[in-house]
């Protein structure tokens, strides 16, 4: 088997993709961000709230400061096929368990999005969670077990999976 081929029980898959836009304030800016996020992902967004008070920025705990969408299954895969060609990935963006994050500087890079001077330009953050079959034993409520070290996903496995399935080049 080549490096990019996996046994069926070791084949990584996309568990979820979280797309987030942090605006830092509520009001019109946040509403614009939510509209853009919903257009790009074709899903309903959820507001994110400030976890602590930051007086220097005028933010109080509980204030809405951003929006996010969690994509799973085919929607997550479709989104990645659209978003990954827009960015240059580096191996530094991968953690030791094969998850990775990247940012898109301008929402206008997505197909169907155009610059509107009344709205402005928003960037968004994307976090991708990759897993192997059987990962659920570590998360289930009853009879929780640890994933054996030889079955855990590594950054190298995630890189091989992305290169094979999404035709992505990753810089060292």
């Amino acid at each position: 088997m080549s490096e990019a081929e996996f046994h069926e029980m070791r084949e990584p898959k996309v568990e979820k993709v979280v797309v987030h836009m942090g605006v830092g304030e509520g009001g019109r800016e946040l509403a614009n961000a939510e509209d853009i996020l919903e257009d790009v992902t074709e899903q309903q967004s959820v507001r994110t709230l400030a976890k602590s008070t930051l007086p220097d920025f005028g933010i109080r705990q509980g204030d809405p400061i951003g929006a996010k969408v969690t994509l799973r299954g085919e929607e997550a895969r479709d989104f990645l096929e659209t978003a990954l060609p827009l960015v240059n990935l580096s191996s530094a963006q991968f953690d030791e368990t094969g998850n990775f994050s990247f940012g898109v500087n301008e929402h206008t890079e997505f197909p169907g999005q155009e610059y509107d001077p009344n709205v402005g330009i928003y960037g968004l953050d994307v976090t991708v969670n990759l897993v192997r079959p059987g990962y659920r034993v570590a998360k289930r409520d009853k009879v929780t077990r640890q994933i054996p070290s030889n079955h855990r996903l590594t950054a190298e496995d995630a890189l091989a999976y992305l290169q094979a399935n999404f035709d992505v080049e990753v810089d060292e």
Side-chain angles (χ1 to χ4, degrees):
M1 284 198 297
S2 71
E3 183 181 322
E5 293 181 29
F6 295 96
H7 181 275
E8 67 183 69
M9 282 304 288
R10 293 182 56 80
E11 174 76 30
K13 66 177 184 175
V14 177
E15 179 190 17
K16 65 181 176 180
V17 174
V18 178
V19 185
H20 176 261
M21 294 176 88
V23 180
E25 60 186 79
R28 188 73 230 145
E29 298 284 321
L30 182 56
N32 289 340
E34 288 174 328
D35 291 342
I36 291 168
L37 199 55
E38 290 171 7
D39 284 347
V40 168
T41 61
E42 299 175 358
Q43 295 279 330
Q44 179 70 40
S45 65
V46 175
R47 286 192 173 182
T48 57
L49 306 176
K51 293 183 179 177
S52 60
T53 300
L54 301 170
D56 294 343
F57 295 103
I59 296 174
R60 290 191 301 253
Q61 182 177 354
D63 283 353
I65 57 170
K68 70 177 179 178
V69 172
T70 301
L71 303 169
R72 295 178 190 271
E74 199 58 39
E75 290 89 6
R77 191 170 180 79
D78 292 344
F79 180 80
L80 285 179
E81 288 174 357
T82 304
L84 284 174
L86 303 176
V87 297
N88 294 324
L89 288 178
S90 162
S91 58
Q93 292 169 282
F94 289 79
D95 69 7
E96 65 277 355
T97 59
N99 303 314
F100 66 98
S101 296
F102 60 90
V104 178
N105 291 332
E106 299 180 4
H107 75 277
T108 56
E109 295 179 26
F110 282 93
Q113 296 293 310
E114 294 182 11
Y115 175 70
D116 180 356
N118 297 325
V119 173
I121 294 178
Y122 288 83
L124 46 98
D125 306 312
V126 180
T127 302
V128 181
N129 182 230
L130 297 176
V131 295
R132 281 197 166 126
Y135 79 97
R136 198 182 79 77
V137 299
K139 296 187 181 236
R140 63 188 178 191
D141 290 338
K142 293 185 178 183
V143 197
T144 301
R145 299 278 189 263
Q146 283 191 336
I147 306 277
S149 60
N150 64 354
H151 193 67
R152 290 190 189 128
L153 196 63
T154 64
E156 293 78 26
D157 292 338
L159 286 169
Y161 172 75
L162 280 179
Q163 290 169 341
N165 291 285
F166 293 99
D167 196 31
V168 173
E169 289 296 321
V170 178
D171 302 328
E172 292 302 316

